[in-house]
Amino acid sequence: MDASVIVVGSGPAGLMLAGELRLAGIDVIVLERLRQRTGQSRAIGFTIRTMELFDQRGLLPRFGEIETSPHGHFGGVPLNLGVLGTAHDGARTVPQSLTERVLEGWVRDLGVTVRQGQEFVRLSEDADGVDVFVEGAHRPLRARYLVGCDGGRSAVRKAAGFDFPGKASTTELFVADVRGIDLDPKMTGMQVPGGMVMSAKLPGDIWRLIMNERDAPPRERPVPPSFDEIADVWKRLTGIDIAHGRPVWLNAFGDASRQITEYRRGRVLLAGDAAHVHLPAGGQGMNTSIQDSFNLGWKLAAVLKSDPGGAPSALLDTYHDERHPVGRRLLANTEAQRALILGSAEVGPLREVLAELTAYPEVERHLAAKVTGLDIRYDVGGGTHPQLGMRMPHLELIRDGHATSTTRLLRPARGVLLDLADNATLRRRARPWADRIDIVTATPVGPLPDGPLAGTTAVLLRPDGYVGWAAPGSRPDLSMALNRWFGAPTDV
């Protein structure tokens, strides 16, 4: 074996997955087709959930000062994300190029090998592993598992025969990063008589422009559009001349909406845009991709570390079970946003009604949770505890007289049994899993707030920060939950 896992693609999904695997001690090779990064930035921000995940791994300081905002939108209808009461706001104007540099520095510090200029061409799978063939290589690389994180045109997806049904593009949009212009910001997009325009100020005196001429047909473009073409479209839509600007990056994209039917086929798995493509409404694409990897990493590591015995291969099936519905809902909400953002004047009344509805706190919370990734609930077993299957909110704690928090407890990327009631019997029952989880007794700073955590005496946190068991209110007992997520107990 050249590595336990080979990851194809060194974008945010691939790098996040590689880091998660290395934190668990798994050897991994990342293959990247490009010899060097382009510096392009398709995504320009983080949702609240991604901010939480980066904080759980101690990554936020690596980004330097991040501009955050409590403002969001659903299809251009403004939302106050502050209604969610989270410890973080969403991050805005963080170029994807910076995200990739930060994540690559992190994984290299962890000892990950990133092989640039290594293009995947085909694979051969057997009962024990996967042979990965690279362009120009004398022999294939071999790994126990292969994960395709190689984008919407994934070569791994095609080579492994994944089905990728959905809707083809019906229109074309342009994106341009331009220096030397001065515009009014339109962060959530604005409908104009001929279509839609969006403008956002990025670091480095760069403006990000996105535009769509209504009914513009999709085109197969072997090369990106010219700046003259984009400047002409912007002028037709807004009346503003940007031809004097200096283009940094230009691209065209469509509104295709597709999702694979299965996230795992034997020893081959897919994550990120390789698994789902959609209109990048609300910047959810990269964030969902990172969260795919956060879900997959600890599960793949648990299976690999425990061979033989311990966490069964079936744990990997929960990756599809949990993330496929997330991807399906993502496509549904971006399709809804597409209708609002790119629709004709006939959609205007619908936008007005939706704006009226968001004045109701429950509606605004529902939509805010949807676009930030905080509405995700996994099936972790029966029970009445309201936080079961959902992410654990940030909670300040005192442990052995020292301040800590649920966020800091998750930094090692291990499971955590958090005992909030100093229950020695509970800790004793969990001891056979102490090689895989941290057993922590702590008390909250102040009383638990009203809401889903009120009255909680203990929670079992998976390494991705989701609640896999809670007391009171979980039907499976603690031992069953530990078996499900962490494998068979170790004799002690």
Side-chain angles (χ1 to χ4, degrees), residues 37-52:
R37 296 200 176 276
T38 64
Q40 299 171 359
S41 297
R42 297 177 184 273
I44 56 171
F46 308 140
T47 61
I48 290 174
R49 182 58 187 149
T50 300
M51 289 286 284
E52 291 179 345

Side-chain angles (χ1 to χ4, degrees), residues 355-383:
E356 292 174 1
L357 289 173
T358 58
Y360 293 90
E362 287 187 10
V363 174
E364 188 165 44
R365 275 194 296 272
H366 176 79
L367 292 177
K370 183 177 292 293
V371 299
T372 57
L374 300 189
D375 69 333
I376 295 170
R377 182 190 293 273
Y378 299 136
D379 180 5
V380 298

Side-chain angles (χ1 to χ4, degrees), residues 4 7 79 121 137 175 180 214 239 258 286 311 352 378 386-387 393 407 428 466:
S4 294
V7 175
L79 296 173
V121 290
V175 58
R214 191 165 295 122
R258 297 182 181 277
M286 182 189 73
E352 292 178 9
Y378 299 136
Q387 206 66 28
T407 300
R428 185 171 59 255
Y466 285 82

Side-chain angles (χ1 to χ4, degrees), residues 384-388 392-393 395 420 444 446-459 470-473:
T384 59
H385 196 288
Q387 206 66 28
L388 277 174
M392 181 69 181
L395 185 64
L420 297 171
L448 285 172
D450 292 336
L453 292 176
T456 300
T457 59
V459 290

